[in-house]
Amino acid sequence: QVQLVESGGGLVQAGGSLRLSCAASGCTFYAMGWFRQAPGKEREFVGAISWSGGSTDYADSVKGRFTISRDNAKNTVYLQMNSLKPEDTAVYYCAADWRRRPNILKVPGEYAYWGQGTQVTVSS
């Protein structure tokens, strides 16, 4: 049974940091990424990472502040979020896909599996 379980969300003041984790099970996931969805908005790409961890990509809005990493031995992907802003407030979702792709996946429809989401709230 495939399962993605996120953790690490919470309430933080602007300028603070949080680290999200996503533990995957049931499959080998070559592509993993993070998306977020704020109330009334569409789900948007945050960051993604290749199988080796050697390639990453980020949304312009988080570049320089967020870092995505993975531990394949633990089948876990992380999102370190620094210098958080109130506009980062959203439900953050982990996404994973088992297919080998030559590129970083940035579109929600390219991912086969999703976590349940974890709330991140940044107060001003």
Side-chain angles (χ1 to χ4, degrees):
Q1 180 180 357
V2 173
Q3 197 171 15
L4 301 177
V5 179
E6 299 111 331
S7 60
L11 173 65
V12 64
Q13 288 189 331
S17 298
L18 283 174
R19 188 193 194 205
L20 305 184
S21 299
C22 173
S25 61
C27 186
T28 297
F29 296 109
Y30 290 101
M32 298 193 80
W34 289 94
F35 290 75
R36 67 187 182 186
Q37 188 165 17
K41 295 187 176 182
E42 292 186 353
R43 190 166 299 190
E44 65 174 2
F45 171 74
V46 175
I49 189 167
S50 64
W51 166 251
S52 68
S55 296
T56 57
D57 200 359
Y58 300 92
D60 288 343
S61 59
V62 308
K63 279 180 182 176
R65 301 188 297 122
F66 291 12
T67 302
I68 189 170
S69 61
R70 67 189 295 169
D71 184 339
N72 289 339
K74 296 181 179 179
N75 224 10
T76 299
V77 64
Y78 305 96
L79 185 67
Q80 178 66 44
M81 305 186 294
N82 299 328
S83 303
L84 282 161
K85 304 175 181 180
E87 51 263 44
D88 294 318
T89 296
V91 177
Y92 283 70
Y93 295 92
C94 172
D97 198 84
W98 53 270
R99 289 162 286 195
R100 289 182 180 268
R101 302 285 183 87
N103 55 306
I104 295 288
L105 305 185
K106 300 171 64 173
V107 177
E110 295 178 308
Y111 288 90
Y113 300 102
W114 292 84
Q116 79 287 353
T118 184
Q119 177 70 47
V120 171
T121 303
V122 184
S123 63
S124 57

